Amino acid sequence: MTMTSLSRVHAAYRSPAALCALRTDTPLLLGLSGGADSRLLLHLLAKECKESGAPLHLAHVHHGIRGAEADRDEQFCRALADEYGLPIFVLHADVPSLARERGESIETVARAVRYGFFADVMAKNHISLLVTAHHADDNLETVLLHLARGCGLAGLGGISPARAFERLEGAMIVRPLLACSKADILKACDELGLAYVTDSTNADTAYARNLVRAQVLPALSKIADHPEQQVLRTCQTMREDEAFLCELAKEFLSRELRDGAIRRSALSNTHVAVAKRALRLWVHSLCGHLPEACHIDALMALCQTDATAKQVHLPSSIIATAERDVLRLVKGEDGRSAPPCASFDFPFSLTSVDDTSHGFGVRVSFSSPDEHQIITKNDKNVYKPFIRDTLMFDTIVECSAWLEGRALHWRSRDAGDTLLLRGINRKLRKLQNELGIPAALRDRLPLLCDGDTVIWAPFCGARDGAFAPVTSSTRHALCLTIEILPQATDHTKEDFDNDQSHS
C-alpha cells in the first residue's frame, strides 16, 4: 500500500521529549515563522501536548527586514496562537541597524537575535526544550555547504536531532521533523488544509543556501532517489564517529593536561585525529570558542618542531608556547598583532590616493585586457614587503558606464564583512586566514564597496555578479593597485616573517 505524504510525516516525526529522554510533560517553546515547516509542526505538537499535558508556548521574531511581508507573517502567527489557544511571545528587532552597529552580516545578527530571544523567553518561563522545524532538506543543504567550504566530521554530521542549547544552561534544542522531506511537509499541509505563509527571500539565489536549494538539490535528485534521506544516514554515522573521537580526546586531556601544559611528545605520538580534537577542546576551554582549522594546524606544527622555543598567537589573546617538550596555552596580550588600526572610509575616484595615516596607497588606471595579463602575472604574493596587488576588472565591458550611478567607496573591514564567491557568502576574515594575509595587514587593506556591499577585497577577488561578463568587444578595463607604503614596511615585513614561521 502506497503511503501518503502525511503518513510518511507521521512515521518520521519524533516526539521532542523522546528525542532527549525527558518527561512527556516537559514544557516546550516552538520557534514559529508561519512557514509550512513550523505550521505543520505546530499542528503535530498541539495534538501531542494536549494528550501529554506538556505546556506549549510559541515565539515569533519580526526581524525588521521584509517590511509589509514580515508584518503579515506576525499577524498570521498571532492568529494561529489564538486559534490554538496558546501563548505567543513576539519580538520586534531592527536587524539591519544592529548589523551596521555591530559590523556583522544581517544573517549572523538575525540568528543571534532570534536565539537570544528564545533563550530569554525560556529562562523567564522555565522552559527547557526549544523546538525548531528543521527538516531533511535543510540538513542536506547544510552538509553540502559545509563540504564546499571544507569541514571535518562535525560538519559532515549536519544538523543534530537534539543538542544542548548553549545559550541556556540545561536546555536542549530538538528537531522533530528532521527525518521528513520538504516535499512531504508541503503535501501534508495540503492534505490537512493547513494555511501557511511564504518568505519571498527564499527565492533569491544570491544567497548560497537558496542557490543550493534551487539548482543543486534538483540535480542530485536525478542521480539518487531521495538524497536527503541517504545523507541523513551518513550524518548519523559521522556524528557517532565524531562523538567517539571526542571521547578519546577528552580522555587524552584528562590524562596529559597538567598545570596548563601538555607534553609535545604525547601529542605527536597520539593519532592525529585525537590530537587535533584534544587541542580544539583545550582552546575552547580557555576562550569559549572553537578554533579554526588553521589554528589547529599551527599548533600541530608547533608540537613537531625541534626548536627550543616557539610561539603561536591564537584568537582571544591566547598564546601557545613550545619549549623543550612542553606545549603551554595561556591567556595574554597578542604580541603579534599590530596596534589597532583606525577605521577609514573615503570615496572612490579615478585618481591615485596615498593614505599615510593607515599606510597604504591606491592607484587607479585604465588598461586593456592584454595588459592585465602582464601586470598581474606575478603580483599577488602576500609575503612581499611592498605589496602590490593589482586587480584588473576585465569583466567590465564599458567602465565609464558601469561607474555611473554607483556609491563606490573605499573603507576598512568590519567584523561581519562577507564576499559572495561562486554562490557562497564567505566571511572575509576566514578568506584572509586561508590566503595567509598577515594579521597586521587585514585592517589596513582597503575594501572596494558599492554602498554597504563589499565588491572587491585585495587578494580575495571580486563579488559574484558585481561586474558585467567579458566579451570580445572589451577594449578597456579598470586596473587597481593596492600598495603598502614604505613607512609601514619594517613592521609589516616582521609580521610577514612571523606569520610564515607560524604556518
Side-chain angles (χ1 to χ4, degrees):
M1 180 177 177
T2 303
M3 295 180 68
T4 65
S5 292
L6 182 57
S7 60
R8 283 195 293 271
V9 166
H10 280 300
Y13 173 82
R14 295 292 178 267
S15 167
L19 279 171
C20 46
L22 294 177
R23 289 168 52 101
T24 56
D25 60 353
T26 300
L28 308 173
L29 178 68
L30 169 64
L32 181 67
S33 69
D37 315 326
S38 61
R39 177 65 185 90
L40 178 61
L41 185 53
L42 170 59
H43 173 82
L44 297 172
L45 284 176
K47 181 179 179 180
E48 179 180 343
C49 290
K50 185 176 181 179
E51 296 172 354
S52 67
L56 176 59
H57 307 74
L58 310 178
H60 176 80
V61 179
H62 186 307
H63 296 95
I65 298 174
R66 293 181 291 119
E69 187 177 278
D71 295 336
R72 175 210 64 185
D73 294 354
E74 178 190 340
Q75 293 306 313
F76 180 76
C77 291
R78 288 187 182 276
L80 284 177
D82 290 340
E83 177 185 341
Y84 283 89
L86 297 172
I88 184 169
F89 304 90
V90 176
L91 173 70
H92 279 252
D94 187 351
V95 168
S97 293
L98 288 172
R100 287 192 294 271
E101 291 172 9
R102 299 178 186 180
E104 298 176 343
S105 68
I106 285 180
E107 295 94 330
T108 299
V109 173
R111 187 182 190 282
V113 166
R114 189 164 57 250
Y115 281 90
F117 174 58
F118 294 159
D120 288 342
V121 170
M122 293 170 71
K124 292 175 182 176
N125 294 276
H126 308 288
I127 303 171
S128 55
L129 277 183
L130 173 61
V131 188
T132 66
H134 291 91
H135 48 75
D137 293 57
D138 289 328
N139 180 70
L140 175 54
E141 293 161 10
T142 297
V143 171
L144 290 173
L145 289 170
H146 285 172
L147 186 61
R149 293 165 181 162
C151 66
L153 284 181
L156 293 176
I159 300 173
S160 176
R163 67 171 177 84
F165 187 16
E166 66 278 357
R167 289 177 176 268
L168 186 62
E169 186 175 356
M172 299 284 292
I173 302 179
V174 293
R175 283 90 179 211
L177 295 180
L178 193 60
C180 303
S181 71
K182 179 70 173 184
D184 279 340
I185 289 173
L186 292 172
K187 290 177 182 177
C189 284
D190 291 341
E191 290 177 31
L192 291 167
L194 301 179
Y196 54 86
V197 295
T198 302
D199 183 344
S200 62
T201 63
N202 287 338
D204 185 356
T205 54
Y207 296 99
R209 184 175 289 273
N210 293 346
L211 184 64
V212 170
R213 185 179 302 142
Q215 298 185 16
V216 180
L217 298 196
L220 278 177
S221 296
K222 292 180 180 179
I223 60 175
D225 291 333
H226 305 293
E228 74 282 353
Q229 299 299 331
Q230 312 296 343
V231 171
L232 273 177
R233 287 192 286 272
T234 299
C235 288
Q236 178 63 28
T237 301
M238 297 300 101
R239 288 194 296 270
E240 291 168 355
D241 290 352
E242 175 68 11
F244 174 70
L245 289 170
C246 284
E247 283 302 314
L248 293 181
K250 291 175 183 177
E251 292 175 7
F252 175 88
L253 284 177
S254 66
R255 183 174 64 251
E256 296 291 341
L257 182 57
R258 294 290 182 271
D259 299 323
I262 292 178
R263 291 180 298 117
R264 288 194 291 166
S265 57
L267 281 162
S268 297
N269 292 331
T270 196
H271 194 284
V272 64
V274 176
K276 285 186 173 182
R277 283 167 175 79
L279 290 170
R280 188 173 292 113
L281 291 170
W282 188 12
V283 173
H284 181 266
S285 69
L286 290 176
C287 66
H289 304 291
L290 289 173
E292 297 177 9
C294 60
H295 302 131
I296 298 302
D297 290 342
L299 289 175
M300 290 296 293
L302 199 59
C303 293
Q304 297 162 6
T305 182
D306 294 329
T308 57
K310 285 285 185 180
Q311 280 192 348
V312 167
H313 293 254
L314 304 171
S316 301
S317 299
I318 294 176
I319 301 175
T321 60
E323 187 172 357
R324 299 180 184 244
D325 192 34
V326 175
L327 177 67
R328 188 178 302 277
L329 298 186
V330 295
K331 290 275 286 184
E333 294 298 321
D334 188 350
R336 178 168 60 115
S337 298
C341 182
S343 61
F344 55 85
D345 194 322
F346 57 91
F348 175 90
S349 64
L350 297 176
T351 58
S352 297
V353 176
D354 285 343
D355 188 331
T356 55
S357 61
H358 296 101
F360 68 82
V362 175
R363 311 284 180 258
V364 181
S365 62
F366 285 100
S367 300
S368 70
D370 291 338
E371 290 172 340
H372 163 61
Q373 300 300 324
I374 300 172
I375 293 171
T376 61
K377 184 176 181 181
N378 297 308
D379 276 354
K380 289 194 173 182
N381 182 352
V382 298
Y383 296 112
K384 286 184 179 180
F386 291 83
I387 295 178
R388 289 180 175 86
D389 179 23
T390 303
L391 177 74
M392 171 67 68
F393 285 172
D394 58 359
T395 55
I396 301 175
V397 177
E398 291 292 342
C399 291
S400 58
W402 182 85
L403 291 170
E404 290 179 2
R406 294 187 179 266
L408 295 183
H409 60 111
W410 297 100
R411 67 162 171 83
S412 52
R413 69 170 185 168
D414 289 332
D417 279 335
T418 60
L419 193 64
L420 184 64
L421 297 176
R422 293 179 293 279
I424 298 176
N425 263 311
R426 300 292 307 278
K427 289 187 177 180
L428 185 62
R429 174 177 58 83
K430 293 193 72 172
L431 277 173
Q432 290 176 329
N433 278 343
E434 293 169 6
L435 292 169
I437 299 175
L441 273 182
R442 295 175 194 176
D443 289 329
R444 185 179 301 150
L445 291 173
L447 308 178
L448 182 60
C449 301
D450 187 354
D452 294 332
T453 303
V454 177
I455 62 172
W456 176 71
F459 307 119
C460 301
R463 175 185 171 87
D464 289 357
F467 310 106
V470 65
T471 69
S472 58
S473 63
T474 300
R475 292 168 300 176
H476 293 89
L478 194 63
C479 178
L480 306 175
T481 303
I482 308 301
E483 180 182 352
I484 299 303
L485 298 178
Q487 51 263 52
T489 301
D490 291 342
H491 181 75
T492 303
K493 178 63 166 67
E494 179 183 350
D495 284 321
F496 288 173
D497 294 339
N498 286 339
D499 271 332
Q500 285 180 289
S501 68
H502 296 153
S503 62

